[in-house]
Amino acid sequence: MLDPALAQLLPRTCEVRDGVLHLGGVSVTELAATYETPVIAYDAADVTAAALDWTHAFDDYSPGAMIAYASKAFSSVGMLRLLGDLGIGADVASRGELESALRAGIDPRRIVVHGNNKSRSELEAAVAAGVGLIVVDAADELELLTEVAAAASRPQSILVRLNPDIVVETHHYINTAHAGSKFGVPGDMATELLRRAAQSPWLLPRGVHVHLGSQLLDVAPWAEVLTWLAAWALQLRDDHGIAIDVLDLGGGLGIAYTEQDTPPAPADIARTITDTLAHAWAPTGLPLPALVLEPGRSIVGRAAMTIYTVGVVKDAGEIRYVNVDGGMSDNPRPVLYQATYRALLGARMDDAPDGTWWVAGVHCESGDVLIEDAALPTPRAGDLLVVPATGAYAASMASTYNLVPRCAVVLVEDGAHRLLLRRETLDDLFARDAGVTP
Ligand code: LLP
């Protein structure tokens, strides 16, 4: 039996059989033997459950809500296809992410395009694809997009990214709605951009976008921003006669990485949003807006774990290290954001922890430590070390530092498993090295 506090860090299908961790009916030992380690394994049932939690959370909201998965959290065509089949759209922030969503067959009308410095060719590709919404981030971009839409003779629906100057509690690198952030424009500039857009025959201004930040563990910021937005939208209507009919509230809902984290559920966010709309928006007399939500981490974060093999176990005096065969190249989050994780020995789940070790990676940096003070049963070379909750921003931010090829990413479903992304080979790495003689 998995302890419930630990179970919330793992895919919902996880169970322990004879001391071995299983997800989706498949053991971590089988996955390690099939794909080599490190390997990142997603549970399809968990992704589906998390995605449906989001869509059902807004079942009772009558203008409706579109859930656009923030594909930066993890984007592969197989994953996007799984989500697209559930009616989920995609938030894309680059040409590559757009391409991935289109190849997965996501309805372009359900694609929302982001970026604080979109190039002309990115905008051309988005307009040509017929994306539902392009989120304009700056005055220069409004002009560029007008040109692009006019040249394509395709009127384009847009939102303006608004920066409400709200500081939320999270790591400052993933705090995005404060004054001085590189994203969005302040309220008065957003008003101006919507006004200009309304005068262009090629732009259809539909509303605004706000993304508060990421890994948020409290519902309060959503209430705060909506109350602010209601007053701003009323002013916009009164001063300029422009009505907001779409409100995109971005992503940001956090997940549990350790037993200490207690994130709200999508239903809690939905209740906060709809209650605040009822209390702050409805009294203004403005029609309720259709909503867009862009969850990334809270759809895929819990669904995956990284399986490593233990190599050298070393006592360095004050610190004991357990070295694994991956590290900051397959998960840069600890190094970038001081993110905390839990470690488990996947084939020794019944052994009680008897000490703490630092989990170190293979890279040539003393900072390449995935976890400090991980409580474990005494680890031995060859053990499988599992790090839960690596489904978001691990594979998608992976690098090939030290010329270490990127690991495989697999999907487990009903006792079967298949590749989403194959392991990179050395030949893949050298294929782009112009110094290599054919
Ligand atoms: N929408 C917009 C416009 C965003 O910028 C983001 C995340 C999301 C949606 C999705 O947010 P989520 O639901 O996943 O929190 N690499 C960092 C996270 C960066 C998030 C960037 N934007 C990390 O590993 O924590």
Side-chain angles (χ1 to χ4, degrees):
M1 241 295 272
L2 274 168
D3 169 63
L6 176 59
Q8 63 149 0
L9 316 182
L10 292 162
R12 291 158 177 82
T13 60
C14 271
E15 53 182 346
V16 175
R17 292 188 211 153
D18 296 328
V20 180
L21 184 62
H22 287 62
L23 70 155
V26 176
S27 67
V28 293
T29 41
E30 179 175 338
L31 293 171
T34 312
Y35 301 103
E36 300 173 30
T37 55
V39 56
I40 298 177
Y42 282 86
D43 175 31
D46 195 83
V47 175
T48 302
L52 293 180
D53 277 354
W54 269 109
T55 51
H56 291 320
F58 290 94
D59 275 350
D60 295 334
Y61 182 69
S62 73
M66 176 174 92
I67 307 300
Y69 166 61
S71 62
K72 70 205 79 178
F74 171 64
S75 116
S76 78
V77 172
M79 178 60 78
L80 288 167
R81 196 173 288 135
L82 188 160
L83 289 166
D85 289 348
L86 299 170
I88 305 276
D91 143 8
V92 301
S94 69
R95 182 72 198 269
E97 287 179 2
L98 172 63
E99 191 64 30
S100 183
L102 294 173
R103 287 183 191 219
I106 297 218
D107 181 344
R109 288 168 302 179
R110 293 184 163 274
I111 295 180
V112 184
V113 178
H114 281 286
N116 60 299
N117 187 22
K118 302 174 198 73
S119 66
R120 180 184 290 270
S121 66
E122 278 171 332
L123 291 172
E124 282 168 352
V127 169
V131 300
L133 290 167
I134 295 182
V135 181
V136 172
D137 200 272
D140 290 354
E141 188 186 313
L142 194 81
E143 283 177 33
L144 185 56
L145 180 57
T146 311
E147 278 172 38
V148 167
S153 300
R154 295 184 79 131
Q156 176 64 51
S157 289
I158 64 152
L159 302 179
V160 170
R161 182 158 180 167
L162 195 160
N163 184 335
D165 191 13
I166 288 178
V167 179
V168 295
E169 200 178 314
T170 188
H171 190 280
H172 64 280
Y173 282 8
I174 47 181
N175 204 332
T176 41
H178 54 288
S181 160
K182 73 169 184 170
F183 297 106
V185 294
D188 49 354
M189 175 60 98
T191 301
E192 171 60 16
L193 295 188
L194 287 169
R195 202 186 56 74
R196 279 191 221 166
Q199 289 165 353
S200 161
W202 300 109
L203 300 180
L204 309 170
R206 304 289 309 278
V208 285
H209 163 94
V210 175
H211 173 71
L212 291 163
S214 207
Q215 183 56 12
L216 308 185
L217 297 173
D218 179 11
V219 296
W222 278 278
E224 191 184 344
V225 77
L226 271 172
T227 307
W228 187 96
L229 279 169
W232 176 85
L234 184 61
Q235 186 103 39
L236 179 73
R237 203 267 321 263
D238 289 350
D239 292 354
H240 302 284
I242 298 175
I244 293 295
D245 66 337
V246 176
L247 204 51
D248 181 340
L249 294 172
L253 173 58
I255 60 162
Y257 286 99
T258 69
E259 283 97 326
Q260 282 69 50
D261 297 331
T262 50
D268 300 322
I269 304 288
R271 201 173 316 110
T272 302
I273 291 173
T274 51
D275 284 357
T276 315
L277 284 171
H279 292 118
W281 195 283
T284 62
L286 297 167
L288 286 176
L291 295 171
V292 180
L293 278 300
E294 302 169 343
R297 189 187 323 258
S298 56
I299 290 186
V300 292
R302 175 183 174 184
M305 59 183 73
T306 308
I307 308 167
Y308 301 97
T309 301
V310 170
V312 169
V313 182
K314 186 196 277 183
D315 190 340
E318 274 165 34
I319 295 173
R320 293 186 295 182
Y321 286 97
V322 50
N323 290 274
V324 294
D325 52 357
M328 62 190 283
S329 57
D330 58 75
N331 186 357
R333 299 195 68 258
V335 177
L336 278 175
Y337 318 114
Q338 295 76 52
T340 50
Y341 284 89
R342 185 78 158 79
L344 307 165
L345 295 187
R348 294 173 54 197
M349 292 292 288
D350 294 339
D351 295 1
D354 55 12
T356 59
W357 281 262
W358 285 32
V359 180
V362 289
H363 298 281
C364 294
E365 299 221 9
S366 30
D368 178 27
V369 169
L370 290 170
I371 309 172
E372 296 180 1
D373 293 322
L376 290 168
T378 302
R380 300 185 288 254
D383 279 341
L384 294 180
L385 188 142
V386 170
V387 175
T390 56
Y393 306 109
S396 66
M397 301 203 343
S399 73
T400 56
Y401 182 37
N402 290 136
L403 288 183
V404 172
R406 285 173 294 185
C407 69
V409 181
V410 304
L411 187 73
V412 178
E413 191 164 20
D414 295 334
H417 45 88
R418 62 184 164 89
L419 276 176
L420 288 176
L421 298 172
R422 69 162 168 78
R423 177 176 300 283
E424 213 165 20
T425 63
L426 283 180
D427 283 342
D428 290 331
L429 294 184
F430 287 107
R432 63 190 289 271
D433 186 330
V436 173
T437 43

